[in-house]
Amino acid sequence: MAMTLFPLLLLLTVASLAGAESGGDVSGQIRLSCGASASATDEDGRAWDGDATSTFAPSVAGVAAAASYQDPSLPSTVPYMTARVFNSSYTYSFPVRLGRVFLRLYFYPSAYADDALFGVTAGGVTLLRDFNATQTALALGYAYVVREFSLNVSSETTTLNVTFSPSLSPRRGSHHAFVNGIEIVPTPDMFTTPVPTFANGGRPDLAPIRADTAYQTMYRLNVGGEGITPSHDAGGFYRNWDNDAPYIAGAAFGVTFEKDNNVSIQYNPPSVPRNAAPEGVYATARSMGPNAQINLNYNLTWIFPVDAGFYYLLRFHFCEIQYPITKVNQRSFFIYINNQTAQSQMDVIVWSGGIGRAVYTDYLVVTTGSGEMDMWVALHPDLSSRPEYYDAILNGLEVFKLQKYGIHSLAGPNPTIPPKRVVSMVDGSRSESRKKSSVVCATVGGVAAGCLFAVLVVCVLTWTIRRRLQKAGPLKPADGLLVPTKSSDLFGPVHN
Ligand SMILES: *[C@@H]1O[C@H](CO)[C@@H](O)[C@H](O)[C@H]1NC(C)=O
Ligand SMILES: *[C@@H]1O[C@H](CO)[C@@H](O)[C@H](O)[C@H]1NC(C)=O
Ligand SMILES: *[C@@H]1O[C@H](CO)[C@@H](O)[C@H](O)[C@H]1NC(C)=O
Ligand SMILES: *[C@@H]1O[C@H](CO)[C@@H](O)[C@H](O)[C@H]1NC(C)=O
Ligand SMILES: *[C@@H]1O[C@H](CO)[C@@H](O)[C@H](O)[C@H]1NC(C)=O
Ligand SMILES: *[C@@H]1O[C@H](CO)[C@@H](O)[C@H](O)[C@H]1NC(C)=O
Ligand SMILES: *[C@@H]1O[C@H](CO)[C@@H](O)[C@H](O)[C@H]1NC(C)=O
């Protein structure tokens, strides 16, 4: 049946795909290397203005500082090796166009960070509060910290103010603030389309997504593939895609694979725009493995430490990339989020329209409580439609935190440094084993912290019923919506 619902309408030529790949709209991008007095280019080819001479920061306050040590894991000396240090609140004002931008803040803790504790606000949203960059870097197992936010600059103003505010110190006046780099990259609206529609059929309107919602990127993973550096991102957005292996829970890693040589990755704009993710994300994947019996006995699971008490948008990128999986009902699986079924009968061919075709689905996860928690994402074969293979697949995954509306905040606590990890700042590295141990330890800590949340209410909503599916016909039963049944801790499925 599904084949008639999803005719392969799209016959893009390889040539047109290649043409769309190059360039991208880079206008309106702003990069400030804070504490630097001259322009410089980073390893990704991005040009940075020194904030001491930039028109974006006339009469910049604070003092310029230089890092005393260049960690070998730094992706580039620019903008990490210089910093601007503030002992009182300072606002950078950037001229921006209306609409959405990525705002990236770069922090490399060095001697100038010794007494740094500060907040950052931008566009009226608190991005960081009492931020300790040293602790955050230690906890994550990196020498440096990049925080990426997506903000919608509203119509009233076309200035994006980014304010660094030292936290008050009980001992003397205040701590100080620092920043190494600030980057602004305009983007189209990547979040509110396709528009979720909940407010009918007696369903409670739980949609918390507003057009002006601010997001923080928590994780962006090229599942089953190598990390993809910013210069290789799609759309000229300079996103960074990490390998997913450090987040896999347990010993069962599944298998990773690349696309067959005779498969080309195809997008389907506007529902799957070419800038959704670079081809490299879709061209590699992780599946459970070739052995059906083993697959039935485990869940392919990733664990992500996140801040409790926020809504999260999880974006799963899928693409079938190897023969013989070309037809409907060859591979069908469950997506579990926090041990709840977010999706049953996930069949990538049904959603995408064929082998090599990229697609993504979004799920909204509601968490309550405070402090740190672990978010679980798991895949398992769904046998209800008697698929040919008992397996599951994932190509990419993004986890975004949504702002809290009432208090206009994205800020969470500083992550706790995993116990029993012998790490010094000079030895930060991006190696998988380090990240892995960090995540495993964080998980242990998270389980303990979980006891602190007397009530952890979790609700998973699915809304991405892609436009093409909506046009094509009735929703699959799998497009269910999980909503609260009553004011208890548990949420059950509600069907149309
Ligand atoms: C803050 O830094 C400025 C130099 O940028 C200095 O003149 C001033 O005395 C400092 N204030 C405090 C309270 O340390
Ligand atoms: C930041 O965190 C580090 C590591 O936990 C700690 O040593 C330092 O005192 C903290 N800084 C402030 C200002 O709290
Ligand atoms: C940005 O900050 C400047 C001064 O720091 C202020 O004059 C202006 O009104 C602010 N703009 C917005 C949109 O908050
Ligand atoms: C930004 O928010 C406004 C509403 O405040 C909305 O109309 C607009 O579509 C949003 N733009 C983007 C790119 O999200
Ligand atoms: C593509 O290559 C794979 C093996 O690499 C092969 O099994 C498959 O039949 C080929 N498909 C087509 C359409 O040529
Ligand atoms: C999911 O279930 C496992 C095993 O029962 C449990 O250890 C874990 O804490 C649960 N995760 C979440 C986020 O509830
Ligand atoms: C997989 O996860 C689901 C949801 O947490 C759980 O119900 C199921 O028992 C798990 N299956 C295995 C084999 O661990």
Side-chain angles (χ1 to χ4, degrees), residues 103 114 246 283 292 302 310 321 350 353 364 401 414 441 444 454 470 474 480:
L103 170 66
D114 279 352
W302 294 259
F310 287 87
I321 49 176
V350 168
L364 193 66
K401 178 166 66 173
N414 291 302
C441 296
V444 174
Q470 284 172 330

Side-chain angles (χ1 to χ4, degrees), residues 114-117 132 134-135 138 175 417:
D114 279 352
D115 187 41
L117 198 68
N132 183 331
T134 307
Q135 176 164 338
L138 281 171
H175 295 282
I417 298 171

Side-chain angles (χ1 to χ4, degrees), residues 184-215:
I184 293 173
V185 176
T187 70
D189 184 359
M190 306 168 81
F191 296 102
T192 51
T193 55
V195 179
T197 48
F198 290 137
N200 53 15
R203 290 167 172 175
D205 182 5
L206 286 179
I209 310 272
R210 303 191 328 209
D212 60 349
T213 301
Y215 300 81

Side-chain angles (χ1 to χ4, degrees), residues 303 337-340 373-376 447 456 458:
I303 294 182
I337 302 175
N338 284 340
N339 293 336
Q340 310 226 350
M373 65 170 285
D374 285 332
M375 181 172 292
W376 287 46
V447 170
L456 176 63
V458 175

Side-chain angles (χ1 to χ4, degrees), residues 223 244-256 286-289 291 293-303 377-380 391 436 440:
V223 175
D244 67 310
Y247 303 98
I248 292 188
F253 275 60
V255 297
T256 64
R286 189 180 296 277
S287 69
M288 298 188 73
N291 186 312
Q293 207 50 48
I294 291 175
N295 295 353
L296 288 178
N297 281 306
Y298 88 103
N299 284 344
L300 182 54
T301 305
W302 294 259
I303 294 182
V377 170
L379 307 179
H380 188 77
D391 200 357
K436 178 68 185 164
V440 168

Side-chain angles (χ1 to χ4, degrees), residues 16-93:
S16 75
L17 290 173
E21 185 65 49
S22 62
D25 180 16
V26 295
S27 66
Q29 299 194 0
I30 294 173
R31 293 184 183 85
L32 273 194
S33 179
C34 301
S37 51
S39 303
T41 302
D42 71 13
E43 296 291 328
D44 270 307
R46 286 173 285 192
W48 296 75
D49 278 350
D51 73 345
T53 50
S54 170
T55 53
F56 299 126
S59 67
V60 64
V63 292
S68 51
Y69 170 77
Q70 182 177 343
D71 190 279
S73 74
L74 287 179
S76 174
T77 55
V78 183
Y80 295 100
M81 290 302 288
T82 62
R84 173 86 38 196
V85 182
F86 304 104
N87 59 11
S88 62
S89 188
Y90 179 75
T91 299
Y92 289 94
S93 292

